[in-house]
Amino acid sequence: MEHVPPPAEELALLDRELARLDAHRAQLLTRRAWLLRALEATGPVPWGPPRGPVAPWGPGPGGFGPARPASKRSVQNVLLVLGGLLLAVAALVFTLVSWGDLGIGGRSAVLTAVTAGALSAPVTLLRRGLAATAEALVTVASVLMVLDAYAVYAVAVPDADGAAYTGTAAAVLALLWAAYGLLLGKLRLPLPLAVVSAQLPLVLWVWAADGGPLWFSGALLATAALDGVVALTVGRASVRVMACVALCVTGGAGLLVALVKSLTATGPAGAVAPGALLLAGAALALAGARRAAVPFATAGGAVAGLAAVAAVGGVPAAGVPDGWRVASYLLCAGALLFSVRAPLGVAAARGLVWASAVVSAGAVLVSLVPVTVVAAGPVTRLGAVWSGAPRGGARGAAGATGLPWDAMVSAPVVLLLVAVALGAACRWWDGLLRWAGPVLVPGAAWRGAAGAAGVALGWAGLMVLPAALDLSFVAARAGQLVLAVAAFGLAVAGLRAGARAVAVTAGAVGVAGAAGAGLLSLATEAATYTAFGLLVVVFVALAVALDRQEGVSPGVVSAAACAAVACAVVPVGALGSSLGLAVYEAAVPLLAVPAVTVLVGARLKGHPVAVPVEVTGAAAGVVAVAMAADDARFLALVLALCGVLAAWTALRPERRPLAGHLATVLFVLAAWARLAVSGVSAPEAYTLPVTVPALVVGVLRRRRDPSASSWAAYGAGLAVTLVPSLGAAWTDPHWTRPLLLGVAALGVTLAGARLRLQALLVLGGAVLALDALHELAPYVVQVAGALPRWVAPALAGALLLVVGATYEKRLRDARRLKEALGRMR
């Protein structure tokens, strides 16, 4: 590819263009400097870019961009603010210190003159365009007006009630500031001051009249109503912001006082007056929401909805027991949803919906407290297996006898009501959206979320119901089982209907219910067999149903099948205790579980569930081996039976590589355990007759199939003799056995190296090294005891240095050794 034009010619063009731009920029800067000088000579410079040469844009000493001197207006504002503050301080000092030196006439003259001057001066200043100076004087005048009010109180009416006078003074000042601000519309301070001052009169008058909390609530709400009117009618932004802030503070305080009185009412009659105030606050919020912007209208609707629920629900809540008060508010929150059809505006109606949702969520959270205790209670039954039915019925089974159930009796009712509402919404979702119109416009995922939440809350309510009703232990256990079965059925039905969120939630709560039912059933022997037997059937049926359902992940089906196997382990393992067997004796019946999984795996063949089921059965076999570890005879028997199962599995071609090696290991371990039980001191007499024919069979197999691994041909035969002989040599005080074992291991190692057989080289080398270590150990200990203590750390450090210095070479040597072993058969 060739450059057009050539690079040298293009570079010359760029240089000429850059030179032309630099010349043009210099001309523009010269012209700009002349214009600035001309303007400075004729008058003030109009608003525009900062004067002076244009500095290049970039990081400077003071930040990003060129450093700029302070403008004249900012300096002017600082001076005016400082001047106003000094005048205000001077006025304050004069009033507090020098006031007593003047007579009545002098005081009146000073106050009148100074205040009148401070209030009249801004008129002239505004006409001349000095708005900042006028604002500073208005600040001083505002402080003087407050001081005037204090002076009038101290001189003219010193015996008047302080709260009443302050309220009256605040009202007068609010009117004066409002009138002054309206007359001089360019001033920004008087109208916000009027709004702030207007917050005090009603509250202070109620205080002066010794009014109760409800009167204070009424005064605050009336003040909030005035703030709302100002916020909606006044066009100036500063006044609207101040009015909105005042509205939130006074309105929130008034509603909070009324809510506290409603919650603490001793009867329905005592909750009527606070309820009326709450309804008044709700009406004011709705009235403001009709004319406010969308976000504020939604917030107003939410506040109105919360206040209405507290007002209406507080009356019946005050007359019912404590445990049912939450249900009263929940019913009112549900009724509030029907207000979406009222002509309130979309934003306000949406706020009412949010209020209903908040109240419902709060009721659910309060009701979930006993659910958590009941759900976690069955875990405590692990320490009391087959100890009999616990005392206290369902509450005793959950370890929840100490809970205040009188105050929580409505928990299942609340949870079930919300669950039914969510379930109905999920079922008739399209009709609900049509009925609500534009008020409810949720996304597609909300339907699944509603259904999933309904399932979870329904399960929680039904689970806690036996404890809330103080039913028997049998009823609690049966209820858990029924809930688990129903949840799994709902999960399958949800998958068939395409409601995946409902199906997943139902499956999760079903597993939780099955775990709780299983733990509760451990209390008695009969319950253990019944519950876990039923759970095995349920999980098998669930696995079959999920396997037939399209779109279900194989992992989910495998989880259900593995859960069935795990549930089968419990009753089979408990069978030994029922028959009076020891723990190690009960290990033999437990092997029935892996035997069944082997049969199931052979029947399923290539099905994705086959491997997880067989692995779970193998885990049950490991449990059986651990149970038999206390008795060597049963350990040998269990290992041999596990070997038989592994050999049985190895008959299948797809399992042969792994199962075959596992069977060999298990048989060898069983033989060693049996020799140890018999107290054999010369294991070679029993192992050599096995090793020789095993090696012969290995040779024949290698001749028939040269690609066969040396481990498969010779590994088991050699291990049968070498490993027990090594164990005997380590406990033999004489030298004959270690010598013969070392010679044999050396011969096997050399044969493996000569024939390039991995099994012979590894087994022979390992046994030879361990045998040599056994022979050298006494001498090593003797030498170590004779050497100074610093020698061992020094040698270790030197070894680490050498290895570190030649790390790369050692790594290459290890890699070569690994590759050489890998090339062997």
Side-chain angles (χ1 to χ4, degrees):
M1 179 177 179
E2 298 180 356
H3 288 278
V4 181
E9 184 178 350
E10 184 179 0
L11 181 61
L13 291 173
L14 291 177
D15 290 338
R16 286 195 297 270
E17 185 66 17
L18 289 174
R20 189 184 65 80
L21 291 175
D22 289 338
H24 186 60
R25 183 174 184 274
Q27 294 175 1
L28 293 176
L29 290 176
T30 303
R31 180 63 179 173
R32 181 177 184 277
W34 183 87
L35 291 173
L36 288 175
R37 288 193 298 270
L39 290 173
E40 288 175 351
T42 58
V45 182
W47 182 89
R51 304 184 206 180
V54 179
W57 184 258
F64 193 83
R68 300 179 181 178
S71 65
K72 292 182 178 180
R73 186 165 297 278
S74 63
V75 174
Q76 178 188 16
N77 291 336
V78 172
L79 294 176
L80 290 175
V81 170
L82 290 177
L85 289 176
L86 291 176
L87 287 176
V89 171
L92 180 63
V93 172
F94 173 79
T95 303
L96 297 177
V97 177
S98 302
W99 184 260
D101 297 336
L102 300 175
I104 295 297
R107 297 171 186 176
S108 303
V110 169
L111 285 173
T112 302
V114 174
T115 305
L119 289 175
S120 59
V123 178
T124 305
L125 293 174
L126 288 175
R127 290 176 180 175
R128 296 188 177 184
L130 302 176
T133 307
E135 292 285 354
L137 287 179
V138 167
T139 304
V140 176
S142 302
V143 176
L144 289 175
M145 292 175 73
V146 175
L147 295 177
D148 289 344
Y150 170 74
V152 170
Y153 171 74
V155 174
V157 285
D159 298 330
D161 183 79
Y165 178 80
T166 304
T168 304
V172 173
L173 289 176
L175 293 175
L176 292 177
W177 279 328
Y180 190 73
L182 292 175
L183 289 175
L184 302 178
K186 294 182 179 181
L187 295 177
R188 292 175 294 180
L189 183 63
L191 289 179
L193 282 178
V195 173
V196 174
S197 181
Q199 310 306 309
L200 301 176
L202 292 179
V203 177
L204 293 176
W205 288 338
V206 170
W207 187 6
D210 294 329
L214 294 180
W215 285 99
F216 272 102
S217 176
L220 289 170
L221 291 176
T223 305
L226 177 62
D227 294 331
V229 172
V230 172
L232 292 173
T233 56
V234 178
R236 186 171 297 183
S238 59
V239 180
R240 297 181 68 179
V241 170
M242 185 63 67
C244 289
V245 173
L247 169 64
C248 295
V249 174
T250 56
L255 291 176
L256 183 61
V257 172
L259 177 62
V260 172
K261 292 299 294 181
S262 176
L263 293 175
T264 56
T266 56
V272 172
L277 290 174
L278 289 170
L279 286 178
L284 292 175
L286 284 178
R290 293 177 63 89
R291 297 185 56 186
V294 172
F296 299 100
T298 303
V303 172
L306 293 174
V309 170
V312 179
V315 176
V320 299
D322 292 340
W324 293 97
R325 303 189 71 173
V326 176
S328 175
Y329 290 109
L330 178 64
L331 293 175
C332 293
L336 185 64
L337 290 174
F338 293 95
S339 61
V340 299
R341 302 286 294 180
L344 302 174
V346 174
R350 193 168 294 163
L352 294 176
V353 173
W354 279 111
S356 177
V358 168
V359 175
S360 301
V364 168
L365 289 177
V366 172
S367 302
L368 285 179
V369 175
V371 174
T372 56
V373 177
V374 173
V379 180
T380 60
R381 305 304 307 166
L382 289 174
V385 177
W386 290 8
S387 60
R391 296 180 180 179
R395 297 178 183 177
T401 54
L403 289 181
W405 285 103
D406 292 340
M408 299 179 178
V409 68
S410 66
V413 177
V414 171
L415 295 173
L416 291 175
L417 284 176
V418 178
V420 170
L422 291 174
C426 180
R427 175 64 178 82
W428 294 286
W429 186 258
D430 296 333
L432 176 64
L433 295 184
R434 287 193 300 269
W435 175 78
V439 175
L440 294 179
V441 191
W446 282 91
R447 180 174 188 175
V455 171
L457 294 179
W459 172 80
L462 292 174
M463 185 192 64
V464 79
L465 186 60
L469 298 178
D470 198 13
L471 300 181
S472 64
F473 170 72
V474 177
R477 187 182 67 236
Q480 291 274 31
L481 285 172
V482 173
L483 279 179
V485 175
F488 289 138
L490 182 60
V492 176
L495 288 175
R496 291 177 179 175
R500 185 166 295 273
V502 173
V504 172
T505 306
V509 299
V511 171
L519 293 174
L520 288 178
S521 67
L522 295 177
T524 61
E525 182 178 0
T528 301
Y529 289 110
T530 303
F532 280 97
L534 179 61
L535 289 177
V536 170
V537 176
V538 170
F539 279 113
V540 169
L542 178 63
V544 173
L546 293 176
D547 186 50
R548 294 178 178 177
Q549 182 65 39
E550 295 182 1
V552 178
S553 172
V556 177
V557 182
S558 300
C562 293
V565 176
C567 290
V569 171
V570 177
V572 176
L575 184 61
S577 298
S578 299
L579 298 176
L581 302 178
V583 175
Y584 57 85
E585 294 175 335
V588 177
L590 186 59
L591 293 178
V593 175
V596 173
T597 58
V598 169
L599 292 174
V600 174
R603 178 69 178 84
L604 295 175
K605 294 183 180 180
H607 198 282
V609 179
V611 174
V613 168
E614 293 182 67
V615 171
T616 308
V622 174
V623 174
V625 172
M627 293 173 60
D630 292 339
D631 189 280
R633 297 172 304 163
F634 277 89
L635 178 61
L637 176 61
V638 171
L639 288 172
L641 293 175
C642 290
V644 172
L645 294 176
W648 191 3
T649 305
L651 295 177
R652 295 156 52 193
E654 70 275 9
R655 301 284 189 267
R656 185 167 300 160
L658 180 61
H661 290 88
L662 181 60
T664 301
V665 172
L666 291 172
F667 282 133
V668 172
L669 291 176
W672 295 346
R674 190 60 196 170
L675 291 175
V677 171
S678 302
V680 175
S681 59
E684 295 82 2
Y686 298 90
T687 58
L688 283 175
V690 178
T691 297
V692 173
L695 294 178
V696 172
V697 172
V699 172
L700 294 176
R701 181 181 178 185
R702 288 274 297 174
R703 287 181 179 179
R704 181 185 305 175
D705 183 12
S707 62
S709 171
S710 61
W711 288 98
Y714 310 118
L718 291 174
V720 166
T721 295
L722 290 179
V723 178
S725 297
L726 180 63
W730 270 67
T731 58
D732 194 342
H734 305 290
W735 58 273
T736 307
R737 185 189 301 274
L739 177 61
L740 294 176
L741 178 61
V743 171
L746 178 60
V748 172
T749 305
L750 294 176
R754 176 67 179 82
L755 300 175
R756 301 182 62 79
L757 297 176
Q758 189 182 103
L760 277 66
L761 182 62
V762 173
L763 283 176
V767 173
L768 180 61
L770 292 174
D771 185 64
L773 179 62
H774 172 265
E775 294 303 310
L776 292 176
Y779 302 101
V780 173
V781 173
Q782 183 178 0
V783 172
L787 291 176
R789 294 186 178 182
W790 58 268
V791 174
L795 292 176
L799 178 62
L800 290 177
L801 288 176
V802 172
V803 173
T806 61
Y807 175 75
E808 293 295 336
K809 187 175 183 300
R810 302 284 81 80
L811 192 61
R812 288 194 298 271
D813 294 341
R815 191 178 294 112
R816 293 193 190 99
L817 178 60
K818 178 183 177 182
E819 293 174 354
L821 287 175
R823 288 193 295 269
M824 294 182 179
R825 290 291 183 183

